Amino acid sequence: MQVNENFKPVIVAFCCNWCSYAGADLSGTNRLNYPANVKIIRVPCSCRVNPMFILRAFQKGADGVIICGCHPGDCHYTSGNYFTRRRITLLYSMLDFLGIERKRTRLEWVSAAEGAKFASVMEQFVSDVQKLGPNRRLEDLRCRKQ
Amino acid sequence: MQRIGVFVCHCGTNIAATVDVKAVAEALGHEAGVVISQDYQYMCSESGQNLVKNAIKEHKLTGVVVCSCSPRMHENTFRKAAASAGLNPYLVEIANIREQCSWIHKDIASATEKAIILGRAAIAKVHLNTPLTSMESPVVKRALVIGGGIAGIQTALDIAEAGFEVDIVEKEPTIGGKMAQIDKTFPTLDCAACILTPKMVEASQNEKITIHSFSEVSDVKGFVGNFTVTIKKKARYVDETKCTGCGLCTEKCPMKKVPNEFNMGLDNRRAVYIPFAQAVPKVATIDPNYCMMLKNGKCGVCSKVCSAGAIDYKQTDRFVEQKYGAIVVATGFNPIKLDKYDEFAYSYCPDVVTSLELERLMNAAGPNGGTLLRPSDKTHPHTIVFVQCVGSRCDDGKGKQYCSKICCMYTAKHAMLIREKYPDTEVYVFYIDVRTPGKNFDEFYRRAVEQYNVHYIKGMVGKVSPKADGKIDVQASDLLAGEQLHINADMVVLAAAIEPDKTARPLATMLTTQMDTNDFFTEAHPKLRPVESATAGIFLSGACQGPKDIPETVAQASAAAAKAIGLLCKNSITCNPCVAHSDELMCNGCSACEKVCPYGAITYQDKEFRMPNRTTAVRRVASVNPAVCQGCGACTVACPSGAMDLNGFSNSQIMAEVDAICK
Amino acid sequence: MQEAMIKRAVQLLADGTVNRVMGWKRGEFVYDITPAVFTTAEELEKDFVCDDFTQANLSKYLVKESRKEGKILAFLKPCDTYSFNQLVKEHRIIRENVYVIGIPGGPKLDIEKIKAKGITGILSVENENYTLKIETIYGTETMPFSEAVSGKCSGCKSKKHVAYDELIGDDGEVLDSNRFDMVAKLENMTSQERFDFWRGELSKCIRCNACRNVCPACTCENCVFDNPKSGIDQKAAADSFEEKMFHIIRAFHVAGRCTDCGECSRVCPQNIPLHLLNRKFIKDINELYGEYQAGADTTSRAPLNNYNADDCEPSVVHERGVE
Amino acid sequence: MLKISADRLNDLFNRIASEQTLYIPVDREPNTAEYRKYEDGMKLSESLNTVRSAKDFFFPQTENLAEFKVEGKNIEIKDIREESGDFVVFGVRACDARSFSILDKVFLSEPVDSFYKNRREHGTIITMACTRPSETCFCTAFGIDPTAPEGDVAVFADGENYFFLDRTEKGKKFIESVADMLEDGDTSKLEEVKEKTREIMKKLPLAGLGTDSFGGDKLNELFNSPKWAELSESCLGCGTCTFVCPTCQCYDIRDFNTGNGIRRFRCWDSCMYSDFTKMAHGNPRLSQLERFRQRFMHKLVYFPANNDGEFGCVGCGRCLSRCPVSLNIVKVMKTLEVKE
């Protein structure tokens, strides 16, 4: 596959406040580099991420969406990420069923201590999306960048 | 019309070095609704905060966006500043352009571009922010301390001293923890038992303190100020209230071959036992794995000899539920298992011991009554080799990456004590580095080298091989001399790494606190909030947070107590106003939200609604108890109609952020 | 069957057990049957119909009807009882206000399948030993019954009534259906093929909302797609994205609640196989979280409002089937 | 009359398509036809009618009106109108052909809808006479002769040939432009076919449907009829009838934030929807009864009241076959009918 180096994917990352957002902060504190394409939206818990938000991101021009939360069992709210896991599994499965590229969506568990993991996950995710090229299967033509 | 102020922080050069802060302020100044956009060197400083406060007053701001470090750092600072200037604190949003931008990107152009986008997202969000008011929630004036080692005891004593009820939950039959097993303490070489046991007694006698020994926390519900904890009191088959601790049963019990865990399995105890003489509570416990009465119903000797009638073979686990305002975790540590270190022959050579085993071997209450003898043949060892960093500072995946911190000092202590008591014994210590920061620590170590002639050798022990003559061949390298050594030793002592107690991980799950990858509890901030967990109302005491020696442990235990007391002193606490709320007009009453709420914050009521053409209808609708809701947002996604939304993180706010980022 | 139903309905009206009857009303032709509420014996005898064309699921009407004064009698086919149960479970139907008579289900006929044979000007349809004799303006036509069976009946999951106060006719069993075959077939296509398939299907969508409005799981007081406050309201599929958005979110909102009654595909004026989206979720839920049939009872926890600590990770999606 | 033999029809299509865009009804599935842009080899549908009506060509489901671009604190308004090219719609039935005159009354009267007008001017409608009406047909109730459709050009088939009759100036020009492919033909068989069709029309189940009880002067009695409650009871409030209807012409204007600006577009609306004509104060028609009544009152009373007695229905029968619960204008008319 031809990889367009000039293509700068827009990546939206939803991070839970307690683990993954803190993990992202830690990767900053440790000066671990990951691509600037990744823009983080802070949510209290990964279970706050509504499938609406994910579709909205793709509609408005995101090329990839990643959700990060506490490791299962470590949710600040006890059970939030368990619900996230089911919801997002089913949603991603549906997107796959509709023929949307699998690698545009991802869910990762990143704890507050895993700054290095956060950076490497983002690095890899951006590179996967970079390879896929711009989001065409789930885009809203009206929102295409001019 | 919104009037938004944007404040871009340089953070010295932390941000300004990779983000063109002027350009960010300029670009964000053009955003719709923004009436002022400024940059400043240190926005969190007093003068920086004044800048924000003055702008709020001068420009009658309706919203504030601060582009600075993580909101986890200074969101509160700026919220307070806004509040003091008369702006609702929840009309402040932070764009994280330090941890999530300047610190991770090297290219100024892309970092600046990203900072602008993050700023735009925050502006888009703040457009939709609504003023929020915090509710008050009462504080239960009772604390729970989980773990009855020196950390837990100290915390409990301090909290009790301040006048609050404290419960200690200890999983072993007695409090005391690891310190009770230690012989002497560094750097003063005073007897551990002599300083610990009075504290144990004090705890047991303090009327504010309740000790739940041989107990575990089995469930935690609730939130800061109002936790409900279920404590499992494990069956000890002895009625605590009747047992006088006379010890007769422990002498008469015919089952004599039970490895004594207090002495690290170096000798045996009975099936009914009291771990050590100064145990608190001094109550016997029957070990159901060995008791013949419990196993096959044949024996009953203890019951016969007990004049107090305390033996109860039918006892079962009991569960006690109690409410607490604060919880302190003091679950401590354990030496790691050395089964992966076969090169040191630990698993098959009895004369290769861990440091904690050596403590027991040297202790007057230990298996040899305080005389240092080889476990194998009970002879006096003449050459002892200490191996440092067994499982600490390990990159090979077998052990721990971190430094266990206490080993250098206790090894110096052991070496010194041996040389003092048995001057004919040669002591070798193999080390990577000797780390002795701490008051009087380095002096202590130098005494071991200079005064007691302990042979400190920088180098690694490669192989420990027991020989046929009972001696042990220690093959090692001397890095400074650059040579291979063979030492013909009588004993080898391994400074095993320490790790958090295994009970910590499930406990963290129950407490919804964070742990690091090594299972140490994560503090809310490594420097500024070292004894608090990120979960409000949960405090950290002792080695559960990281390796610590006794002085540090006690210091942190008191610090955690101070934090807990600070909380318990309040009659009520301010709740997070970022809670869920349901729009009754849209609610279907379907109960989906209730099913996913971890706090039981959602209830239903039948309510009458005005319907078209002057009719009314009764519908079942959800309502959220804002004092109980913790604001996770699980319900907002479970709700198909979108009736349920979350203050501070509303659907529209998050989508506005999404839009701004994807723009 | 129809006579027995009318007779019983008249009795229950007469003895005051119920004051209304929810059933089907005959129309202009043999097939255009409308759900209706009857209040008198005369109305019932004149217009009540229950035959091979009475496909419509009456459960959703009971959301409103069960909140009215007095008890209503509802005739429910086995598949309808699942929807009914699910709505009772979600507190949408007030169970006490409904008297349910379970009636045997299909297979029902779909007039579109008859018309697809080029048969038009239809005046009557008679079932003679599973051969349909169709009188038209243009003469008499015949076709096998099986070829005219409605799509919602061909993948029938159950002949069992899961909720009723009494039964007319015998109760059946849960069937071992082949309803997931098409989903499985799609799963085994390549990602591009799946994309092309759905682009072809969903591009037909005219956003008439028939699928949503007929769906017994879609009973929201105010649908997010109609509510400007939701931020995702949309009235038309102005871009192909919006078709996907609407159908994904709708399927997601009914995931774990959809009883697979098949009404969505039945009513789609563009014949989009919308039920496949719902069946995909049902199939995933069954495979990933254990067999679950929405509406089978009124007490179990919906799979999306439930979890297991050892649930699979979303990465299973990326490990299964074809990319 | 000029004709082309059936086996050369596709040649004619190719010719038309080489000059302008041609749309013909094509079977997507048996008996499910839709208009498609003609490509070589496409087969003209034999279905009676398309699922969606031909109004889509002139009044599309969505249409962009303008774009607003926000630069900093300035707003720029952009006209993003797209001029229509010339196009031909082939195979429109008599009912749909009449719908254009109904739509014209709405969109071409002052203030003229320039978007609609633009497309009307560029579009040529070629209608096709019906030969095999369905039981759902009732166009004759509205004075439409399915054997003599309106449009720019009317086409008649006798099984072997297609005959072309110009009905407007535009139609005349069109026939001239393809005259070289047409030849004179004998219409005697055609008359037989027409007569046969008229006979069938008389025998259709809905042939007797009358409009005497309806019209602009029947407002009060119809509006206040107690029968609406029963009629609307099972209406789901979906927009199927509206969207397949060739004469429904209500639309909503909405703004969409594209990220690059605000796009103002219009899209079909349905009076069956709960948010139809929702205004700042709320919704004028709160119950489904009122919304249901609105649709039929519009077609049977309000429209004729404002348009010289012309009804807003053409009897195409689409709502009869597509309504999820088989509610339709015929049932409404029969229920409300005042029987002599």
Side-chain angles (χ1 to χ4, degrees), chain C residues 26 36 45 57 63 67 69 94 96 120 222 269 302-303 306 313:
Chain C
R26 75 177 83 251
E45 271 145 18
N57 181 349
V63 173
R67 280 151 212 272
E69 195 63 37
I94 299 168
E96 309 82 86
T120 187
N222 193 349
N306 203 356
E313 294 294 325

Side-chain angles (χ1 to χ4, degrees), chain A residues 8 10-12 14-54 56-62 70-80 82-83 87 111-114 118 143 145, chain B residues 14 70-73 75 79 93-96 98-101 103-106 110-111 113-114 117-118 125 505 508-517 522 534-536 576 595-599 630-639 644-646 649-652 654-659 661-663:
Chain A
K8 293 242 180 304
V10 176
I11 307 289
V12 177
F14 292 97
C15 292
C16 85
N17 180 51
W18 304 94
C19 289
S20 307
Y21 194 89
D25 278 355
L26 182 62
S27 80
T29 310
N30 292 342
R31 310 299 197 273
L32 300 170
N33 187 41
Y34 58 84
N37 316 35
V38 179
K39 314 286 189 303
I40 296 170
I41 293 178
R42 184 165 69 126
V43 286
C45 175
S46 58
C47 70
R48 177 68 189 90
V49 180
N50 195 312
M52 271 175 5
F53 305 159
I54 299 168
R56 175 74 157 230
F58 283 120
Q59 178 181 29
K60 293 297 172 94
C70 307
H71 285 268
D74 293 350
C75 177
H76 179 77
Y77 304 100
T78 323
S79 54
Y82 286 130
F83 294 119
R87 289 168 184 166
S111 81
E114 293 172 326
F118 186 88
C143 303
K145 303 280 172 299
Chain B
N14 279 306
S70 172
R72 295 170 59 82
M73 186 77 117
E75 187 173 56
R79 278 183 176 167
E93 284 295 327
I94 309 290
N96 185 345
R98 191 178 79 173
E99 282 86 344
Q100 294 179 7
C101 188
W103 276 354
I104 42 172
H105 306 312
K106 294 187 180 76
S110 60
E113 189 195 334
K114 178 171 174 178
I117 293 172
L118 295 177
K125 187 180 182 193
R505 169 63 61 178
T509 301
M510 280 190 265
L511 295 170
T512 72
T513 48
Q514 271 75 56
M515 284 191 141
D516 64 18
T517 45
T522 307
T535 304
N576 169 21
K595 297 279 189 305
V596 299
C597 179
Y599 305 101
Q630 297 297 295
C632 67
C635 54
T636 62
V637 184
C639 177
M644 199 60 93
D645 211 344
L646 187 62
F649 295 94
S650 69
N651 287 332
S652 55
I654 295 174
M655 283 194 282
E657 286 181 273
V658 168
D659 289 358
I661 286 172
C662 297
K663 198 165 153 182

Side-chain angles (χ1 to χ4, degrees), chain C residues 28 31 35 61 138 206 208 235, chain D residues 61 133 135 234 239 269 334:
Chain C
E28 293 302 314
Y31 55 80
Y61 289 105
Y138 304 102
I206 56 172
C208 65
K235 206 160 212 169
Chain D
Q61 182 153 18
E135 74 277 9
S234 32
D269 203 348
K334 289 204 168 179

Side-chain angles (χ1 to χ4, degrees), chain C residues 202-239:
Chain C
L202 294 180
S203 65
K204 298 189 295 195
C205 175
I206 56 172
R207 274 311 301 283
C208 65
N209 292 319
C211 50
R212 178 192 73 184
N213 290 19
V214 80
C215 175
C218 273
T219 66
C220 283
E221 295 293 324
N222 193 349
C223 174
V224 286
F225 287 105
D226 290 347
N227 178 7
K229 274 198 244 166
S230 76
I232 60 159
D233 64 316
Q234 40 168 258
K235 206 160 212 169
D239 186 274

Side-chain angles (χ1 to χ4, degrees), chain B residues 38-101:
Chain B
Q38 289 179 300
D39 61 287
Y40 188 71
Q41 209 155 17
Y42 287 104
M43 214 47 99
C44 61
S45 67
E46 199 183 335
S47 45
Q49 290 187 48
N50 284 336
L51 203 69
V52 178
K53 289 183 203 170
N54 292 337
I56 290 171
K57 289 179 196 149
E58 194 180 324
H59 295 274
K60 299 189 174 60
L61 296 184
T62 58
V64 166
V65 168
V66 186
C67 303
S68 60
C69 53
S70 172
R72 295 170 59 82
M73 186 77 117
H74 276 307
E75 187 173 56
N76 253 332
T77 311
F78 293 113
R79 278 183 176 167
K80 276 183 195 155
S84 74
L87 184 72
N88 184 285
Y90 293 91
L91 300 174
V92 177
E93 284 295 327
I94 309 290
N96 185 345
I97 62 165
R98 191 178 79 173
E99 282 86 344
Q100 294 179 7
C101 188

Side-chain angles (χ1 to χ4, degrees), chain D residues 129-162:
Chain D
C130 299
T131 55
R132 216 173 135 79
S134 156
E135 74 277 9
T136 54
C137 291
F138 57 105
C139 57
T140 48
F142 300 102
I144 296 167
D145 181 356
T147 64
E150 297 161 4
D152 295 313
V153 176
V155 175
F156 307 88
D158 68 0
E160 292 159 10
N161 295 298
Y162 290 92

